[in-house]
């Protein structure tokens, strides 16, 4: 069952990569628009040099993937690598065709496709690479919606494009595309929504060994069953909707018999990012 779920996650990431590649080659690239971030840098290089956009997209992602390996965890980066490699391959496979003749329509629909594709990767526990990884690192230390972070980072790339290309119409249309992408990512990803997870378990040590490296506070509470009078531990932790999939996987692996209650959290006060005793 777990293996089938992993395969499903991989297929979903590849589907997201296909949507990103379609957004690039069918809407943005034909009008010389930029998507922002690492992909925008790759497009900028591809527009003004003989280098291939898909190859530059892969090369620019390598250092960020390496940084993400140490900051964000092995599973996140494996899915991100899959997304980057699949996007690179599909960009080379899908022909560059002008689907929408209107530049503004192309920027909007291209942004929607890229946003949905990136959002799918995030929901599966990975990313589409590039500034998505940098945005994920930032949101680990600052509680911002990740789409808004990406809009800010990508805006810098657009300003550089306007300077080199000397065409503010393309720059403004690219800004529209990036804005739409960021909003769509937030709608799908919802990483800034927090949840409180209560775990009643008899395998406390095994669970804590897996939970503590997630850098989330965990509180241990002694409990007793009202009917059975069996003493157990209840672990309470606050996490984000983005990290919830990984947390569920850990619980099912460490203690499949654990009773788990997940409650959406309105707000958190105190050291949310630090471990609690």
């Amino acid at each position: 069952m777990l293996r089938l779920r992993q395969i499903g996650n991989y297929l979903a990431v590849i589907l997201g990569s296909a949507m990103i590649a379609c957004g690039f080659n069918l809407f943005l690239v034909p009008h010389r628009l930029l998507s922002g971030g690492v992909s925008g840098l790759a497009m900028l290089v591809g527009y003004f040099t003989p280098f291939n956009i898909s190859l530059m997209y892969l090369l620019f992602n390598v250092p960020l993937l390496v940084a993400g390996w140490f900051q964000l965890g092995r599973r996140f980066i494996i899915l991100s690598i899959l997304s980057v490699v699949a996007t690179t391959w599909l960009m080379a496979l899908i022909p560059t065709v002008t689907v929408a003749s209107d530049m503004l329509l192309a920027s909007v629909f291209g942004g929607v496709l890229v946003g949905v594709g990136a959002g799918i990767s995030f929901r599966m526990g990975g990313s589409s690479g590039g500034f998505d990884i940098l945005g994920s690192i930032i949101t680990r230390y600052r509680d911002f919606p990740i789409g808004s972070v990406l809009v800010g980072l990508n805006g810098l790339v657009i300003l550089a494009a306007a300077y080199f290309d000397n065409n503010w119409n393309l720059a403004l249309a690219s800004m529209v595309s990036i804005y739409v992408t960021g909003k769509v990512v937030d709608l799908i990803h919802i990483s800034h929504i927090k949840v409180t997870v209560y775990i009643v378990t008899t395998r406390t040590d095994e669970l804590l060994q897996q939970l503590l490296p997630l850098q989330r506070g965990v509180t241990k509470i002694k409990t007793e069953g009202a009917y059975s009078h069996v003493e157990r531990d209840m672990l309470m932790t606050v996490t984000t909707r983005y990290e919830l999939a990984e947390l569920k996987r850990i619980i099912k692996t460490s203690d499949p018999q654990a009773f788990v209650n997940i409650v959406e959290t309105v707000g958190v006060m105190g050291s949310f990012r630090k471990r609690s005793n």
Side-chain angles (χ1 to χ4, degrees):
M1 185 65 181
L2 184 60
R3 174 68 64 178
L4 290 176
R5 182 170 299 177
Q6 289 177 341
I7 294 175
N9 289 343
Y10 295 152
L11 292 176
V13 169
I14 294 173
L15 173 63
S17 299
M19 299 185 74
I20 293 173
C22 287
F24 288 166
N25 285 8
L26 302 182
F27 293 94
L28 301 183
V29 174
H31 292 275
R32 295 176 66 87
L33 296 171
L34 301 180
S35 66
V38 167
S39 57
L41 289 174
M43 290 175 181
L44 195 61
V45 172
Y47 294 155
F48 295 100
T49 69
F51 294 111
N52 183 270
I53 294 177
S54 61
L55 178 60
M56 298 309 300
Y57 175 78
L58 177 63
L59 293 178
F60 286 157
N61 268 292
V62 170
L64 289 173
L65 290 169
V66 173
W69 182 275
F70 296 101
Q71 292 287 330
L72 302 174
R74 180 172 173 268
R75 180 175 182 271
F76 178 87
I77 294 302
I78 287 176
L79 290 174
S80 299
I81 291 173
L82 174 62
S83 176
V84 169
V85 171
T87 301
T88 301
W89 177 66
L90 290 168
M91 284 179 65
L93 187 65
I94 297 172
T96 301
V97 180
T98 304
V99 174
S101 58
D102 185 87
M103 183 173 61
L104 184 58
L105 285 176
S107 68
V108 171
F109 282 95
V112 169
L113 280 175
V114 175
V116 172
I120 290 174
S121 294
F122 276 121
R123 286 297 293 267
M124 295 303 106
S127 78
S128 59
F131 278 5
D132 294 346
I133 295 176
L134 188 57
S136 296
I137 294 174
I138 291 174
T139 54
R140 287 235 164 180
Y141 301 97
R142 292 292 184 270
D143 187 23
F144 299 129
I146 196 167
S148 300
V149 174
L150 297 181
V151 168
L153 294 172
N154 292 333
L156 299 175
V157 177
I158 297 303
L159 292 177
Y163 175 78
F164 287 111
D165 203 21
N166 196 27
N167 188 335
W168 282 99
N169 287 331
L170 290 177
L172 293 173
S174 297
M175 287 182 181
V176 171
S177 177
I178 291 174
Y179 178 81
V180 171
T181 296
K183 289 302 178 182
V184 172
V185 167
D186 275 345
L187 286 174
I188 298 175
H189 179 38
I190 55 176
S191 65
H192 53 288
I193 295 180
K194 302 173 189 65
V195 294
T196 301
V197 182
Y198 300 92
I199 311 164
V200 180
T201 179
T202 56
R203 300 181 181 178
T204 305
D205 293 337
E206 295 178 33
L207 272 171
L208 287 177
Q209 187 177 6
Q210 297 294 322
L211 293 177
L212 291 179
L214 296 179
Q215 298 182 353
R216 293 297 184 191
V218 181
T219 300
K220 184 168 69 173
I221 305 170
K222 289 294 183 181
T223 64
E224 180 181 324
Y227 177 78
S228 64
H229 299 289
V230 174
E231 290 189 355
R232 296 186 180 184
D233 291 325
M234 181 172 69
L235 304 178
M236 182 189 73
T237 184
V238 179
T239 187
T240 64
R241 287 287 297 272
Y242 156 64
E243 295 168 313
L244 187 57
E246 176 68 8
L247 185 59
K248 287 181 178 179
R249 185 194 66 80
I250 289 174
I251 295 171
K252 289 180 179 179
T253 302
S254 302
D255 185 4
Q257 304 301 319
F259 175 80
V260 182
N261 184 25
I262 302 171
V263 182
E264 188 167 317
T265 302
V266 175
V268 176
M269 298 177 65
S271 301
F272 175 61
R273 297 289 166 180
K274 298 179 180 179
R275 298 179 183 178
S276 61
N277 297 323

